[in-house]
């Protein structure tokens, strides 16, 4: 990180995870950023809406979506929204030392997402758990 200081970087925004701090996801990277001596902001998004792109081929070829835990709902956030928050935190004052948890507008399950895809296509998309 001496490279950042040599380049006169003053602020850093880390794309982290909502799982940070749990036993499964320690905060080693966040701790390293805190120790840089720079102004930092942590972004902790949850479920990325773009993760549904992994279903594109199965929807196209089988009209099916497969996922574990079909009824677990999580708010999905668009990566473009995450990028916008990062840009604001990098360019403007008042965000240093803050940790932002980023979520989408409403929780949605994979089963509900499959139904929404089907509605958009005008035909049934089955869900496979």
């Amino acid at each position: 990180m001496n490279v950042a200081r040599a380049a006169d970087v003053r602020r850093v925004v880390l794309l982290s995870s909502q799982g940070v701090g749990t036993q499964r996801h320690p905060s080693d990277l966040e701790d390293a950023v805190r120790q840089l001596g720079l102004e930092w902001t942590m972004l902790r998004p949850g479920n990325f809406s773009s993760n549904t792109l992994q279903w594109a081929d199965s929807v196209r070829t089988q009209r099916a979506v497969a996922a574990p835990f079909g009824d677990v709902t999580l708010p999905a956030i668009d990566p473009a929204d995450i990028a916008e928050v990062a840009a604001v935190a990098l360019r403007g004052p008042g965000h240093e030392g803050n940790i932002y948890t980023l979520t989408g507008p409403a929780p949605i399950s994979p089963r509900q997402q499959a139904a929404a895809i089907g509605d958009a296509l005008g035909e049934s998309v089955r869900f496979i758990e």
Side-chain angles (χ1 to χ4, degrees), residues 11-113:
R11 290 186 181 135
V12 63
V13 174
L14 176 68
L15 178 61
S16 187
S17 166
Q18 285 183 16
V20 166
T22 66
Q23 198 171 36
R24 290 190 129 152
H25 300 282
S27 60
D28 296 346
L29 187 55
E30 285 190 4
D31 291 342
V33 168
R34 285 184 185 95
Q35 294 171 14
L36 289 174
L38 303 173
E39 295 176 9
W40 57 263
T41 304
M42 309 291 178
L43 304 183
R44 292 181 177 169
N47 184 25
F48 286 47
S49 60
S50 58
N51 288 345
T52 59
L53 294 173
Q54 68 185 328
W55 298 329
D57 188 55
S58 66
V59 168
R60 189 174 21 259
T61 61
Q62 303 166 24
R63 292 298 190 250
V65 165
F69 313 111
D71 297 311
V72 172
T73 60
L74 296 169
I77 186 165
D78 190 311
D81 293 335
I82 298 167
E84 191 171 332
V85 171
V88 168
L90 278 172
R91 291 186 303 219
H95 302 286
E96 54 279 344
N98 288 320
I99 298 172
Y100 297 115
T101 300
L102 306 178
T103 65
I108 187 167
S109 71
R111 190 179 315 277
Q112 291 167 321
Q113 288 173 311

